[in-house]
Amino acid sequence: MGVIVLGNPWGLLGLLGVPAILAIHLLQRRAVIVPASTLFLLEQCARESEGGNRVERLRNSLSLWLQLLAVLTLTWLLTQPRRVAEHAVRRVAVVVDGSASMRAAKPRLLESLPRDLETLSTIAVRTEYFLIDSRSREERLYHGMDLAELRRALEAWTPSAGAHDPAPALQLARGLAGNEGLALYVTDHAQEIPPFGARLYACGAPVENAGIAGVSVEEADGRMVWRAVLRNYGKQPQTRWWSVESGTLKTAPVSVTLPPGAVKQVSAPFPDGVSELTLTLSPGDAFDLDDRAAVLRPRPKTVRVSPPPEEAARPPEERLVTAMFSSLPGVALTANDAEADLLARRFNALNPELPPKPACLFVYGDSDPAAGPAPLMTGAVLVERHPLTDGLNWQSLLCRESVSIPPLKSDEPLVWQGNRALVFLRGPERERRLCFNFDFPGSNARRLPATIVTLHRFLEETRRGMIAEEHLLAECGQALNPVADTGADAPPLTVVTEFASGKKLERLLPVSQAGLTRAPDEPGFLEVRQGDRLLLRAAAHFADVREADFSKAETRADLREARAAETLKRHTSEDAAWRAWVLVLLALIGAGWWFISRPEERRRKNASVPGPVSVS
Amino acid sequence: MTFAKPEESAVRAAHGRARAWAGMFRLPLRNRVWRGMSGDFAGKGAGSSLDFQDHRAYMPGDDPRHINWQAYARTGNYTMKLFREEVRPLVDVALDVSPSMFFDAEKAARAAELFAFALEGAQRAGAIPRTWLCGGGEAVLIPVEAALSGAWPSMIPDSGGDWSADGRKPEKGAPPPPVRPALERVAWRAQALRVVVSDLLFPGAPEETAGLLSARDGRGLVLCPYSPKEAAPDWDGNVDFHDVETGGRYPRRVDPPLLTRYRAAYARHFELWKAAARRHGVALARVPSNGDFAKALQLEALPTGAVEPWA
């Protein structure tokens, strides 16, 4: 036996028929004029009847009860009673947009969401809530049936991510809510209909925001200079004051006025002896993430390259490979192969053994002046899709016939000409070799941008795999991927986060999870150490202009079909006995009509055949 | 709504019907002796009828035709034979003409029928009737001819009241009690049959009225017409009563318990009347206004001896 709930509570207004009928029964009988010759007898036994009543005392009559029952039955039908399954549970999965712009909308969200969820719930159907951050599929902010607890979870929740795709979280929400449940996407920007049948719940509002839109550090005139871009996203001009802090040092605030939509740059050199600082903008809006930025002197990992030993004996203008690597940033040349991170080598056909480290291998053609230059290779140049060659143009490469590196099945060709892989990768990832399998000096490869870019990309790959200290400027939430020692005895990583607000967090991270390290979601510094070794120090600033722009934020909730009435329809079935109730109603109306018309008939009958009354 | 005096045409029609019923029923004149002029009924004194009554000694002045000569032969004394006197009884018929008697057409017709029946009954019995109309605190002697002709409605004394309920506002308070018919103002003849046609719907001690009817060796007979609407009304809820006696409007609320008490009071009222009538030897018969006259008489009038069937 399931619980009965009312599908249409407005039907209870039908109960107004009860007082209406009572009033009719109280007032309906106008006093009829009756001739009487025995009033003196009536007076003897009924002093209380004197004067009569405007409102008649309610009399217990069958017609009254029939009419009341008819009204109650009609009310019952109007309320559309529905039967609820005994264990019916409605699931509501709420995905809250974890993007930073939600910080400004959070007070409104805390006020409106629990209230609106309350309106979605019904008495009969229990509601199970899931609260999910759109940034994370794994963690649920709340799971339970208590809206107060859900509100507390929302209060503790801090949105700080950049723009991201909520689809995975919405897919999870749909899975948790099921087909009958409600998946709600809570954000601050009204946008297209969310995927997976989720309903949109936008609670944003335009904010006159101005803040730091980006930070960079570069060398100018021999000094390291930081530059910050300030932007006014609003429609009103704003005047702010910026200042720089570093330890106990703090500069005087400098005023800057930003017209609507304007972008301005502020810059200053790093003070002497200062490598890290915090740029602060005076607060003036509801969005505080872009009012501070952590800045440091970036110091990328240096890749030590060992150029081919053969070039050392050549005059500098013939040191092709050395010249190429020395032109690349973050590269230091070394003659010590042991300490080199990357070896640049000339392919020796007589000794085809590959270097034991990451290396760049170049083929040199046989220079036989008597024979003249070797013929140019013909055939179409084809480029494989690969990160190293993505977007590069190799079509203008001209190279001559020469010896070639014997191909292996495990090679990963990048550029082809005919059947010859001109550029390919060989070896496992940590010891990968980039092979230029054509007469490098005899080709125009040195002058091709594709060659330099490919080398640069290969160096970056090598740099990423190096365990070395690195200082970098990062955006909030940016993946940092510090490279750590993954040996069996390697200690875990210690991640220390110093927020610009002064808050400091320290946590240990297993080495296996080093790749998950991200810059803090709020402006600040992050340091990753492995034991005593500093692996990474990063300064994070908020630079997601999409999140900082609130001009399109608005409030809109699409909950029409998710209201309680719809929920009831989904989780309940109509009362199968409604037809019987209709018949009962008709019977009551018919019987009531018959009893109403009957007294007149009876009165007439009594008047025509009165019997004598014996008083003896 | 207006309560009118009975129309003479209706009264004459009632008299016509009563004349026929007087051939079926008669007044109870046979079971006692009467005083009056010589007639057909046994008188109280000695008379010239054939019914032997007694002997007594001759006294000078006696009619010598009534000397019992056989007794004189045996005894030598003059002995007179006394025969029962035959007289015409006296019948006084009083009609209560209070408005309640004409409560509705049926009751008015029945009242006129009973009045005419009493008068016709007296006529047929050779009695000497007198007719009175009692109402408005007066008793008016009307000629028997006027009563027999159905002209008596015009002789009803005017009570001065306004019987019309039209345009009248509801009265506050209790209605005034109905005025008793002025039966005490009727010059009841001694040793007469005193017939009262009244619905007895007035408060007061029945003893007084019953004593009045049996005083001075009279014989009382009360024919009491009633309407079933009075005995068993169907009042329900708010009722605007129009008192037929005063014409006043008295709104009352009547619920079933009150109606039950009313019926009990109505029954008790006539119980008291009947008890008083029994004590004073007055025959009292209630006659319903509905139905056939003969059947109506058979209900109480015949069983109680208020009327008698012609043998």
Side-chain angles (χ1 to χ4, degrees), chain A residues 389-411:
Chain A
T389 58
D390 186 29
L392 301 182
N393 181 10
W394 288 89
Q395 300 301 321
S396 55
L397 176 65
L398 294 174
C399 50
R400 299 178 183 278
E401 293 286 355
S402 66
V403 295
S404 67
I405 304 173
L408 297 177
K409 282 189 175 179
S410 59
D411 289 347

Side-chain angles (χ1 to χ4, degrees), chain A residues 266-295:
Chain A
V266 295
S267 66
F270 276 87
D272 291 337
V274 172
S275 59
E276 296 176 354
L277 53 86
T278 301
L279 174 63
T280 305
L281 203 62
S282 61
D285 52 59
F287 188 64
D288 60 345
L289 270 186
D290 58 355
D291 291 340
R292 283 171 175 266
V295 187

Side-chain angles (χ1 to χ4, degrees), chain B residues 26-34 40-42 87-92 118 120-128 191-195 219 221 305-308 310:
Chain B
R26 62 186 182 194
L27 294 175
L29 295 169
R30 293 283 175 190
N31 51 0
R32 65 175 295 179
V33 294
W34 302 98
D40 297 332
F41 291 84
V87 298
R88 296 178 65 188
L90 305 177
V91 177
D92 293 332
E120 284 293 331
Q123 290 279 71
R124 287 200 176 216
I128 301 172
Q191 299 182 10
L193 176 63
R194 298 161 183 172
V195 181
R219 167 80 196 278
L221 170 61
V307 296
E308 296 172 349
W310 284 102

Side-chain angles (χ1 to χ4, degrees), chain A residues 31-38 42-43 45-53 56-57 59 603 610 612-613 615-616, chain B residues 3 103 173 226 228 230-231 234-244 251-253 255 258 261-262 271 286 290:
Chain A
V32 290
I33 297 178
V34 171
S37 56
T38 53
L42 189 66
E43 292 301 316
C45 54
R47 284 291 173 199
E48 68 272 22
S49 71
E50 189 172 307
N53 257 340
E56 203 175 23
R57 185 187 296 172
R59 286 166 303 141
R603 199 170 290 145
V613 176
V615 294
S616 58
Chain B
F3 294 97
F103 171 67
Y226 71 94
E230 298 165 341
D234 57 353
W235 304 327
D236 192 10
N238 282 342
V239 182
D240 196 354
F241 287 109
H242 181 196
D243 186 13
V244 297
R252 296 289 185 270
R253 191 190 68 247
D255 52 12
L258 175 62
R261 292 201 298 276
Y262 164 81
E271 282 289 349
R286 300 183 73 231
N290 60 318

